[in-house]
Amino acid sequence: MELLMQQLFNGLTIGSVYALVALGLTLVYGILHIPNFAHGALYMVGGYITLIMMTEAGLHYILAMVVSICVVGLLSVLMERLVFYPLRHSPPIQDKVAAIGILLFLEALAQFIWGADYRQMSTPFGQVVEVFGLTLTLQRILIVFAAIAVMILLYWFLKKTFTGRTIIAMAQNREGAQLVGINTHKVAILTFFIAGALAAIGASLTSPINLVFPGMGHLVILKAFVIIIIGGMGSIPGAILGGYILGFTESLGATYLSADYKDIIAFVLLILILSIKPQGIFSKGGV
Amino acid sequence: MNVLTNKKVIISLLIVLGIVFPFIIPNLYYLHIMTLAFIWTIAVYGLNLLAGYTGYLSLAHGGFFAIGAYVIGILTVKLEMGFWLSFLLAPLVTMFIGLIIGLFALRTKEHFFAIYTLCVGYIIYLVIDKWEGLTGGVRGLIGIPLPEAIGPITFQSPTAQYYLAFFIFLLVVAVIYRIVHSLTGRTFIAIRNSEDLALSLGISTKRNKLLAFVLSTFFAGLAGAMYAGFIRFIGPEIAYTTITFDLLTYMIVGGIGTFAGPIVGTFLIVIISQNLQFLQDYRMLIFGPLLTLLIIFSPRGIVGFIQMQLYQRKRKKQESLAYKNREEETNAGG
Amino acid sequence: MLEVKGLTKRFGGNVAVKSVDYSVQQGKINAIIGPNGAGKSTFFNLITGVHEPTEGTIIYKNEEITRQPANVIAKLGVARTFQSTHLFEMSTVKDNVIVGHRLRTKSNLFDSIFRTRRLKEEEQQCIAKAEESLDFVGLSHVSDQLVTNISQEEKKRVAFALALATDPEIVFLDEPTAGVNPDETDEMAKLIQKMADKGLTICLIEHKMPMIMQLAHHIMVLNYGEKIAEGTPAEIQKNEEVIKAYLGGTVSA
Ligand SMILES: Nc1ncnc2c1ncn2[C@@H]1O[C@H](COP(=O)(O)OP(=O)(O)O)[C@@H](O)[C@H]1O
Ligand SMILES: [Mg+2]
């Protein structure tokens, strides 16, 4: 029972991070209509910036994270302006290749600047606490609460502000949005900034309990793809729900099935789903 | 006609260059690099057949490459089968696995297909990495034997291995040439162009997509088997996405959907990388942006760019010729 | 020759085609008109197998083809063009059209790799067919140009040639003159007439009324997915409901 509770809490922690990354990806999908393979690289850069700000600039963890959010958000916007925007009328295969090019570049750059070793990130929230008989680190509790806070904030922004609603409108129908006079440039830039920021938050939160290295984005981004396919491409509640479902499945799978193969769960899930429903679960095909 | 003879001259020159290479540059290291380049090119041709000609970007290609390598590795090392028989079986087994996966993967399209195959690639990697009993896990497989002698021909020396790879390479290029320049190739191109249109022209897109997919895995498996036979040691890293992305880079730089693209891209990058040794780990600092820039400014790579230039020059010539003729006519009339 | 009964297509809650009965008159020019979004293209897509009908049957030459895939229907002699052309721009006009005859050939991968006699013969056959079709639509002079360098109207003609290369008995043309200027529209009308004179059955979606009234033998009118009228051009012109639909709805003629 205690093991189960422990694993459920782990699932909640991992799921929170997955949900943040998947949220960014799903928002960008709404704009681009292609999967942004470079999103994993943003996540990785987010981890490094926070780490470097702490070790080199001596900033506090939280401050470092703020810097990281800004840097990665801007990087994400830059990507949209320089690469995806010029390619907006090209066949989809070209956007994908371009995104892969960016991914490869950013990874090589990270390795060039910061080296290939796995690095540890310290955290001011390393204390161990007892909650309901469970032994938890404060960092894990922070991950869960911070992620949920960010999601609520994002949800409020998207639903209650005019700018937020235009993002949703555009994700659903770009041409329609243009017709009713939405400045699609501004919305695209904002969306990419938010997506980058979410990736940076996710990476910065999880780095103290994982590690920082150039390939740290690979598995996370791939799982985020799985999540948004499960949750429906472009769907915000879907990304959140999918993130937690995958988080729980993985932490339970690692305990009760096989720790070696826990990373496979997501991919097998995706392959099963797409083999049965090639257009994803929530496709709007003909009846 | 001029262009045709030119083409023939160029091809013959390249073949002669391939044959005399070990004599003019008797450097074992360069021989090694060239041999590897032949092997990579074969894998890239497989990818180009599917992504370039049929329009389906598979991100599992490195995985199939690894399957080819591991099949020959397991058959020779674990089951102690002969090299040639294993070498024959490797691409066939890869192709069979490709067939099964293709049946499901090809029900998806575009980005779903890309993500699906990316996941397939990852699963292949994880299975190779974790299934120690079969694949040796992270330690990999050591001691893949040399090809047995065929009559008087032995394959001990690097030069002999170079010629073997060169021979298979030429064979593959010839086969690919015939495929893409035949009705089969035209069918693939029609599918890439528009699946709806292809269907309305009576083409079974399902069957032909599967054919392209299976062929692409065959060439990936073949290249993998050659790699294993040449390096004689394989580890799980050959199944990692890095290989897929390398192959993709070779293809895009050379020219996706062009016939000469895979050769141009692979040899160019392999040779440049060798000359920028210090870059090895950081080569993507250059090739990553190159990939992105090319896809924006010349989506069909170097070869596509050259083709366009040649075509435009030809067209200008024709136009000026037509103009001259018209002038002569009016002169004759007047 | 081709007959549909109770043909219905629902996309989610949206009924694009509602219980349409229709029969195509052999050897004639049949036209389908209606406001934008009336379900005309969807109607074509159902018959040519692009979409599966929700309900209803489609009979072609006494054979039910209702749920057959598009490629099988094409082989039976049903050709079509699309509202928007999707040709391969970076290839020549002729190369685009050659594949049109592929469905009448049998060469497989083996033939391609070993360049068998069958492949060579069939390739010649496809090339000859492409040249013949391009000649028919009046494009022989641009057959070696890249598609990207020819005009919009010429691209429409290439799409015609492609459809003709399949050796069809019936051709479905979805707005063949959209985006084509008035002079060229007349030329296209002549081409459609020429196809009919050759004995082909034509089924045509068009918005340009004068052209339809002059070309068509028989017209069906769709509105909100329903057939509201059919008959000769003269009958349609007088029909109250048609006038209402066109004046009340979006006029896109
Ligand atoms: N693939 C599709 N998925 C969902 N709805 C569709 C699809 N194709 C057409 N529709 C809908 O069906 C209706 C009829 O469209 P269409 O047949 O294109 O009309 P028309 O060709 O007469 O202008 C429209 O409301 C359109 O939105
Ligand atoms: Mg239409």
Side-chain angles (χ1 to χ4, degrees):
Chain A
M1 192 58 205
E2 203 189 306
L3 182 66
L4 178 68
M5 287 307 292
Q6 194 80 45
Q7 288 312 320
L8 283 178
F9 186 75
N10 278 349
L12 198 63
T13 329
I14 313 171
S16 301
V17 176
Y18 288 163
L20 285 180
V21 180
L23 263 176
L25 204 60
T26 218
L27 283 175
V28 165
Y29 181 84
I31 304 282
L32 274 185
H33 293 290
I34 67 126
N36 182 6
F37 287 106
H39 201 71
L42 294 179
Y43 175 85
M44 178 269 303
V45 174
Y48 269 108
I49 301 283
T50 307
L51 177 72
I52 296 310
M53 282 299 129
M54 290 170 73
T55 56
E56 311 282 308
L59 292 186
H60 183 268
Y61 175 58
I62 300 290
L63 266 182
M65 204 190 296
V66 173
V67 175
S68 177
I69 289 169
C70 296
V71 172
V72 178
L74 289 178
L75 190 62
S76 177
V77 170
L78 212 61
M79 216 155 77
E80 199 271 343
R81 283 290 96 182
L82 294 182
V83 180
F84 295 121
Y85 182 72
L87 279 174
R88 68 199 175 285
H89 298 306
S90 310
I93 201 166
Q94 295 186 16
D95 300 66
K96 270 176 287 197
V97 171
I100 290 171
I102 302 173
L103 164 81
L104 297 175
F105 168 70
L106 287 176
E107 272 181 28
L109 189 67
Q111 192 174 342
F112 181 71
I113 301 177
W114 297 305
D117 358 318
Y118 291 59
R119 299 171 66 169
Q120 213 140 20
M121 189 190 284
S122 61
T123 164
F125 306 104
Q127 304 90 321
V128 176
V129 289
E130 294 262 335
V131 185
F132 305 123
L134 288 177
T135 344
L136 310 167
T137 61
L138 214 50
Q139 178 68 26
R140 280 180 184 271
I141 296 174
L142 173 73
I143 293 176
V144 174
F145 282 99
I148 290 173
V150 168
M151 283 184 255
I152 290 173
L153 200 69
L154 183 71
Y155 197 77
W156 172 83
F157 171 74
L158 290 175
K159 287 282 162 181
K160 298 285 184 240
T161 68
F162 179 72
T163 325
R165 282 201 298 265
T166 52
I167 291 183
I168 303 264
M170 207 169 129
Q172 277 154 2
N173 182 349
R174 188 168 197 158
E175 285 76 36
Q178 228 146 13
L179 284 181
V180 295
I182 291 174
N183 181 344
T184 50
H185 290 295
K186 224 170 87 187
V187 175
I189 289 174
L190 194 63
T191 310
F192 269 81
F193 185 88
I194 294 174
L198 288 171
I201 296 172
S204 310
L205 283 174
T206 184
S207 288
I209 59 168
N210 288 314
L211 292 163
V212 180
F213 58 100
M216 69 189 267
H218 290 177
L219 281 178
V220 177
I221 186 67
L222 211 53
K223 288 174 185 172
F225 280 135
V226 176
I227 290 163
I228 67 172
I229 285 176
I230 295 174
M233 293 252 192
S235 156
I236 290 161
I240 297 173
L241 205 66
Y244 283 109
I245 290 177
L246 187 62
F248 286 125
T249 320
E250 270 190 20
S251 64
L252 293 179
T255 321
Y256 297 105
L257 294 173
S258 150
D260 270 353
Y261 287 101
K262 83 165 166 38
D263 287 329
I264 267 185
I265 293 173
F267 310 138
V268 172
L269 206 62
L270 174 112
I271 281 179
L272 282 179
I273 289 170
L274 284 186
S275 298
I276 298 163
K277 291 216 67 176
Q279 272 124 24
I281 296 185
F282 297 100
S283 66
K284 302 182 201 96
V287 180
Chain B
M1 216 48 218
N2 200 0
V3 178
L4 193 75
T5 46
N6 250 343
K7 238 186 213 166
K8 273 189 180 149
V9 169
I10 293 172
I11 292 169
S12 319
L13 273 178
L14 283 176
I15 294 177
V16 171
L17 186 69
I19 294 172
V20 300
F21 183 83
F23 299 103
I24 41 177
I25 306 184
N27 175 326
L28 284 189
Y29 179 69
Y30 285 121
L31 214 57
H32 181 89
I33 297 302
M34 286 294 278
T35 311
L36 274 178
F38 289 137
I39 295 172
W40 293 130
T41 309
I42 291 172
V44 177
Y45 265 115
L47 187 62
N48 196 32
L49 214 46
L50 183 64
Y53 286 94
T54 320
Y56 274 70
L57 180 63
S58 165
L59 297 177
H61 209 63
F64 289 110
F65 177 87
I67 290 179
Y70 268 90
V71 169
I72 196 172
I74 291 164
L75 290 181
T76 54
V77 175
K78 298 245 159 175
L79 302 181
E80 300 185 349
M81 239 184 199
F83 180 88
W84 287 114
L85 182 61
S86 314
F87 185 73
L88 208 66
L89 285 173
L92 294 179
V93 173
T94 313
M95 195 166 88
F96 181 73
I97 297 173
L99 175 73
I100 310 275
I101 293 174
L103 272 174
F104 292 99
L106 287 167
R107 297 177 41 156
T108 63
K109 280 191 175 62
E110 285 175 6
H111 42 268
F112 286 113
F113 181 79
I115 294 173
Y116 192 112
T117 49
L118 192 57
C119 284
V120 168
Y122 245 97
I123 292 178
I124 294 172
Y125 165 73
L126 287 171
V127 168
I128 289 177
D129 191 55
K130 307 287 185 207
W131 194 350
E132 276 209 53
L134 185 70
T135 63
V138 281
R139 284 173 292 115
L141 292 172
I142 306 172
I144 295 156
L146 281 172
E148 297 103 17
I150 303 175
I153 311 170
T154 61
F155 298 98
Q156 244 110 27
S157 73
T159 317
Q161 288 167 10
Y162 168 89
Y163 281 120
L164 177 62
F166 183 53
F167 174 73
I168 299 176
F169 164 81
L170 287 181
L171 214 60
V172 167
V173 174
V175 166
I176 297 273
Y177 183 86
R178 287 194 163 180
I179 292 176
V180 300
H181 291 94
S182 69
L183 288 176
T184 308
R186 286 182 189 279
T187 313
F188 291 165
I189 294 172
I191 292 173
R192 171 191 67 191
N193 184 33
S194 159
E195 262 182 70
D196 284 339
L197 182 60
L199 271 172
S200 84
L201 295 174
I203 290 168
S204 166
T205 49
K206 229 188 240 170
R207 231 190 20 233
N208 283 287
K209 275 161 23 180
L210 192 59
L211 179 65
F213 190 86
V214 167
L215 277 172
S216 93
T217 58
F218 175 86
F219 290 112
L222 176 66
M226 288 169 73
Y227 178 88
F230 178 58
I231 302 290
R232 302 177 61 194
F233 157 78
I234 47 176
E237 69 283 350
I238 62 165
Y240 204 62
T241 40
T242 325
I243 301 286
T244 300
F245 290 152
D246 276 346
L247 299 174
L248 186 70
T249 309
Y250 300 160
M251 176 178 71
I252 302 288
V253 170
I256 183 170
T258 64
F259 178 69
I263 301 182
V264 172
T266 311
F267 277 82
L268 198 69
I269 296 186
V270 168
I271 290 168
I272 291 177
S273 304
Q274 285 319 311
N275 287 309
L276 303 172
Q277 263 301 323
F278 64 96
L279 265 181
Q280 245 326 296
D281 284 337
Y282 312 117
R283 62 193 188 290
M284 283 304 169
L285 277 180
I286 293 179
F287 298 127
L290 184 65
L291 199 65
T292 307
L293 287 176
L294 265 176
I295 210 76
I296 296 175
F297 295 107
S298 176
R300 297 178 71 231
I302 295 171
V303 174
F305 182 77
I306 294 173
Q307 272 176 358
M308 206 57 217
Q309 297 299 319
L310 287 179
Y311 173 81
Q312 268 162 3
R313 196 183 301 168
K314 195 174 111 194
R315 213 170 140 219
K316 265 199 202 122
K317 214 185 265 171
Q318 269 172 359
E319 265 164 25
S320 67
L321 208 70
Y323 180 74
K324 222 194 256 160
N325 284 346
R326 229 176 302 138
E327 239 176 20
E328 270 162 23
E329 259 167 48
T330 45
N331 282 348
Chain C
M1 157 167 210
L2 191 138
E3 226 182 312
V4 306
K5 281 204 194 84
L7 202 60
T8 299
K9 178 68 183 178
R10 272 192 286 274
F11 291 110
N14 176 8
V15 189
V17 173
K18 203 186 284 177
S19 195
V20 173
D21 296 322
Y22 181 59
S23 93
V24 176
Q25 301 188 359
Q26 185 160 7
K28 300 270 169 63
I29 298 179
N30 304 266
I32 296 172
I33 61 172
N36 265 332
K40 306 179 296 295
S41 295
T42 306
F43 185 68
F44 270 24
N45 286 340
L46 293 175
I47 294 177
T48 54
V50 175
H51 292 317
E52 258 192 38
T54 315
E55 279 160 38
T57 51
I58 306 163
I59 311 238
Y60 175 64
K61 293 207 277 193
N62 302 322
E63 198 183 322
E64 177 162 354
I65 56 164
T66 310
R67 269 159 234 287
Q68 297 283 4
N71 57 313
V72 173
I73 292 175
K75 275 195 188 143
L76 294 175
V78 178
R80 70 166 296 172
T81 64
F82 289 86
Q83 196 167 346
S84 52
T85 50
H86 355 231
L87 300 166
F88 181 34
E89 303 271 332
M90 299 316 286
S91 168
T92 66
V93 168
K94 190 152 120 194
D95 274 328
N96 264 280
V97 180
I98 288 173
V99 78
H101 201 57
R102 173 69 169 132
L103 77 173
R104 306 289 171 213
T105 63
K106 293 196 165 58
S107 295
N108 54 29
L109 182 69
F110 179 88
D111 295 288
S112 297
I113 293 177
F114 294 98
R115 286 203 69 79
T116 59
R117 201 157 96 211
R118 174 162 80 173
L119 180 90
K120 287 181 192 160
E121 281 170 9
E122 290 186 343
E123 267 178 357
Q124 281 317 310
Q125 201 184 320
C126 288
I127 292 171
K129 194 75 199 179
E131 284 166 353
E132 181 196 320
S133 314
L134 284 171
D135 188 46
F136 186 86
V137 301
L139 284 183
S140 294
H141 62 290
V142 294
S143 69
D144 290 326
Q145 302 261 321
L146 291 190
V147 169
T148 184
N149 292 328
I150 64 175
S151 73
Q152 188 59 34
E153 183 247 4
E154 283 169 332
K155 283 180 195 172
K156 294 266 176 189
R157 285 172 185 264
V158 178
F160 276 39
L162 204 42
L164 290 175
T166 64
D167 274 346
E169 291 175 39
I170 178 166
V171 186
F172 287 83
L173 305 169
D174 195 345
E175 299 198 27
T177 70
V180 165
N181 73 38
D183 284 352
E184 290 167 345
T185 301
D186 291 344
E187 292 298 312
M188 293 296 270
K190 275 184 205 150
L191 178 57
I192 293 168
Q193 187 63 57
K194 187 171 155 195
M195 281 160 68
D197 293 344
K198 195 183 151 195
L200 284 170
T201 304
I202 310 278
C203 206
L204 170 74
I205 294 177
E206 253 311 335
H207 280 312
K208 295 179 179 163
M209 283 308 148
M211 172 179 167
I212 288 288
M213 293 304 162
Q214 179 204 339
L215 264 185
H217 301 107
H218 183 265
I219 298 176
M220 166 169 83
V221 189
L222 285 180
N223 194 24
Y224 293 110
E226 278 181 287
K227 176 170 88 178
I228 57 169
E230 69 179 317
T232 62
E235 286 164 0
I236 294 297
Q237 265 171 323
K238 283 185 301 222
N239 189 300
E240 292 282 319
E241 217 175 329
V242 175
I243 296 168
K244 213 165 61 197
Y246 264 85
L247 292 180
T250 35
V251 183
S252 45

